[in-house]
Amino acid sequence: LPTRGTRLYATGMLMGGPMGGDTELYQLEVGAAAHVSPWWEHILSGRVRAQVVDGLTGNDQVPVSERLFAGGPNSIRGFRWRGVGPKGVATDNGDIRPIGGQTLAIATAEYTVPIVSKLRFATFVDAGNAWFDPYETDFSRLAVGMGFGIRLNIPGFPIRLDYAWPIQRDDPNTRTERFSFAVGYGF
């Protein structure tokens, strides 16, 4: 449970090319998290993350399994898991389903206060989206969710229970989900 400090990271992945394989693509990710404790065990945390995935050549398609998705308890609460971002129509029944993107940006701010030992109350706001093409962003089309939750800090098994409201949808077809449950720290 970090109370102060920062974490910066950058990662890269290469599939195919000189490594061999059927799929040829690269993925880059950068992110930062910061934590401050303004007074008496209150914790203000913030996190930003940006990611891109693209084929090694202009002809390489990025398969759905490697595409980027947003939404759910570990990215943008208030929306269904993997529900934020580009969507397509399923031909078998006409449902609109997420198809993922090649660019992702997410930002989170969370404020927690202690209730009793190992139990904290949290308020948060999440924003972000996934865009279809690599290096494409349109920050006028963000999904934004905010809400509150409980953090149960069991060593080795931290639990997060959240209730979130979708404030802004990236697309009218984006489906929401108010309650979320996750195991692990959000930061």
Side-chain angles (χ1 to χ4, degrees), residues 62-160:
V62 177
V64 173
S65 61
E66 299 298 330
R67 289 183 169 269
L68 306 172
F69 295 86
N74 294 318
S75 64
I76 306 171
R77 291 163 281 193
F79 298 92
R80 286 213 174 160
W81 180 70
R82 298 174 64 135
V84 175
K87 296 165 187 60
V89 177
T91 56
D92 55 346
N93 59 6
D95 283 348
I96 296 174
R97 295 185 181 162
I99 59 171
Q102 291 183 251
T103 304
L104 174 88
I106 296 174
T108 297
E110 185 170 285
Y111 187 76
T112 65
V113 296
I115 299 173
V116 294
S117 176
K118 308 286 185 205
L119 186 65
R120 302 181 71 81
F121 175 78
T123 61
F124 59 84
V125 62
D126 302 325
N129 201 350
W131 294 275
F132 189 76
D133 292 320
Y135 304 100
E136 169 196 350
T137 57
D138 179 2
F139 291 109
S140 68
R141 296 186 56 214
L142 292 178
V144 180
M146 66 183 299
F148 61 90
I150 297 292
R151 306 290 179 260
L152 184 56
N153 190 20
I154 302 169
F157 195 74
I159 296 173
R160 296 181 287 137

Side-chain angles (χ1 to χ4, degrees), residues 24-48:
E24 295 194 342
L25 60 87
Y26 68 92
Q27 182 173 331
L28 303 172
E29 180 178 357
V30 295
H35 313 278
V36 296
S37 182
W39 56 82
W40 190 72
E41 296 183 31
H42 291 219
I43 302 170
L44 175 62
S45 300
R47 175 183 64 200
V48 295

